[in-house]
Amino acid sequence: MIRISLDAMGGDFGPEVVIPGAAKALERHPDVTFLIYGLKAQCEPWLAKYPKLRDRSVFHDCELAVSMEEKPSAALRRGRYVSTMWRSIEAVKLGEADVVVSAGNTGALMAMAKFCLRTMANIERPAIAGIWPTLKGESIVLDIGATIGADAQQLLDFSLMGGAMARALFEVERPTVGLLNVGVEEVKGQEEVREAGRLIREANLPTIAYHGFVEGDDIGKGTVDVVVTEGFTGNIALKAAEGTARQIATLLREAMSRTVFARIGYLFAKGAFDRLREKMDPRKVNGGVFLGLNGIVIKSHGGTDAEGFAAAIDVGYDMARNDLNEKIAQDLNFYHARRQPPAGPEAA
């Protein structure tokens, strides 16, 4: 049984999306139970519409909800211990839930998660990992916004965490990992990226296969299972890709409706366009994973609908079922144990 904690008030629409999304996820995962944290007056009417979900959930009435515009520091001061966001995270800390899913304010969610759950041993800064549709299927990209700037050691840590997530999500024994750079040549790029490449090569880690440097177009190609970068670049890449997908969809709609012959052609090619729309639907890959914390936290897009929120729950379900944090801890412990200097004569 997987126990999932939900911040029902997070996102642009709160329980209007979260509760229907949870109901959809329950249909796909009947072995799930939910802990729902929300404001009673707003959540009860929605829970009444989904009796199966209500029967498989425990609802917790909270004092307040964190707004989407609130600064992380203010949200932490105001919402610590009493908000729907904090209490849904705290359920993971207390062992009452295996994973928490929220569509709330990203900065506030990260601040509360770090304060409540703390970072794992040997992890200096957490990362947000996103699932990226590619020509070959899906890849993982991190960091997509948690850490602005990263040194070589942090990029190596991201590689280990992303590799563990790929093993949990894609069930690949030794996922391929690439460092995002301005070229594939070893002499190109910032010093931190070049140094990270050297560290990963020399570590010769058994749980990941280091591919080397990859460029921006390699992300969509699916050249590697895991693309590693720092949060500033990763977030720009994510937003650029989402904008491009919307642009292509808009241009296709305009082109298909421009003339009578175009509309007739669309009818003949409708099946192909439907498959393309399904592939490019951002809701299907919704759910960023906060890596490096003592607990699994999933961030849903704030503006998604019920289908998108259900997809974020799906990601959380897979991460909990496949013991994501245990895999990360094992990989980190293995790497740092090998880094320890050999015992001297005194230790012997």
Side-chain angles (χ1 to χ4, degrees):
M1 188 68 70
I2 302 296
R3 304 162 301 167
I4 299 179
S5 172
L6 300 178
D7 170 16
M9 308 308 297
D12 297 339
F13 307 104
E16 179 182 343
V17 160
V18 172
I19 291 174
K24 286 178 177 289
L26 182 60
E27 293 175 3
R28 299 198 280 257
H29 309 293
D31 58 335
V32 164
T33 59
F34 291 103
L35 287 78
I36 300 177
Y37 294 84
L39 305 183
K40 188 175 181 180
Q42 296 183 42
C43 292
E44 275 198 336
W46 285 99
L47 282 169
K49 296 180 179 181
Y50 300 95
K52 288 184 180 179
L53 174 65
R54 185 178 54 195
D55 291 343
R56 297 295 298 274
S57 304
V58 177
F59 179 77
H60 297 269
D61 189 21
C62 301
E63 291 184 24
L64 59 90
V66 174
S67 74
M68 295 296 283
E69 298 79 22
E70 205 158 354
K71 290 183 178 180
S73 57
L76 189 58
R77 286 195 304 270
R78 191 175 73 94
R80 193 186 312 172
Y81 308 123
V82 295
S83 67
T84 62
M85 183 179 286
W86 174 277
R87 291 189 60 191
S88 60
I89 297 169
E90 190 177 41
V92 174
K93 178 182 179 180
L94 298 175
E96 297 169 355
D98 301 301
V99 57
V100 54
V101 183
S102 173
N105 180 324
T106 303
L109 185 65
M110 177 58 81
M112 287 193 182
K114 285 177 65 177
F115 193 94
C116 184
L117 300 174
R118 305 296 181 182
T119 55
M120 302 175 73
N122 299 313
I123 290 294
E124 183 179 346
R125 300 164 81 176
I128 304 176
I131 302 168
W132 205 288
T134 73
L135 295 176
K136 296 181 179 180
E138 290 178 339
S139 294
I140 292 167
V141 180
L142 75 160
D143 175 26
I144 54 173
T147 299
I148 304 303
D151 60 27
Q153 182 59 52
Q154 289 162 357
L155 291 172
L156 185 146
D157 291 341
F158 292 174
S159 300
L160 286 169
M161 294 190 295
M165 180 174 165
R167 285 159 51 211
L169 188 62
F170 305 146
E171 299 181 0
V172 179
E173 185 175 344
R174 197 163 184 248
T176 54
V177 175
L179 288 172
L180 188 63
N181 202 355
V182 295
V184 298
E185 298 84 358
E186 294 297 328
V187 296
K188 286 190 173 181
Q190 295 179 319
E191 181 180 348
E192 293 85 356
V193 178
R194 298 198 306 271
E195 176 65 9
R198 183 189 67 80
L199 290 177
I200 299 171
R201 277 196 310 274
E202 293 179 356
N204 193 27
L205 298 161
T207 55
I208 62 173
Y210 180 54
H211 174 87
F213 295 152
V214 294
E215 297 182 86
D217 60 340
D218 286 307
I219 303 177
K221 290 178 183 177
T223 302
V224 292
D225 297 311
V226 181
V227 177
V228 175
T229 186
E230 53 80 38
F232 183 84
T233 305
N235 191 265
I236 289 176
L238 174 68
K239 299 296 173 57
E242 291 175 344
T244 301
R246 286 192 291 268
Q247 179 186 8
I248 292 172
T250 300
L251 292 174
L252 279 173
R253 281 196 300 269
E254 291 176 353
M256 290 298 100
S257 61
R258 189 164 296 166
T259 66
V260 173
F261 289 110
R263 288 194 289 269
I264 294 172
Y266 170 77
L267 293 176
F268 284 106
K270 186 176 184 301
F273 282 116
D274 288 344
R275 287 190 294 273
L276 176 63
R277 187 183 300 111
E278 179 80 9
K279 181 70 174 178
M280 296 178 63
D281 188 349
R283 300 177 305 170
K284 303 298 182 182
V285 290
N286 182 35
V289 185
F290 287 11
L291 299 178
L293 301 172
N294 291 305
I296 303 174
V297 180
I298 308 297
K299 170 65 175 74
S300 165
H301 281 299
T304 194
D305 60 10
E307 185 61 44
F309 194 81
I313 294 175
D314 292 343
V315 173
Y317 174 89
D318 288 337
M319 296 300 97
R321 185 191 60 182
N322 291 294
D323 298 319
L324 170 65
N325 272 17
E326 183 178 337
K327 287 180 170 63
I328 292 175
Q330 288 173 352
D331 292 357
L332 289 170
N333 290 338
F334 179 84
Y335 168 71
H336 287 282
R338 288 175 58 180
R339 289 185 67 200
Q340 297 299 320
E346 298 83 0

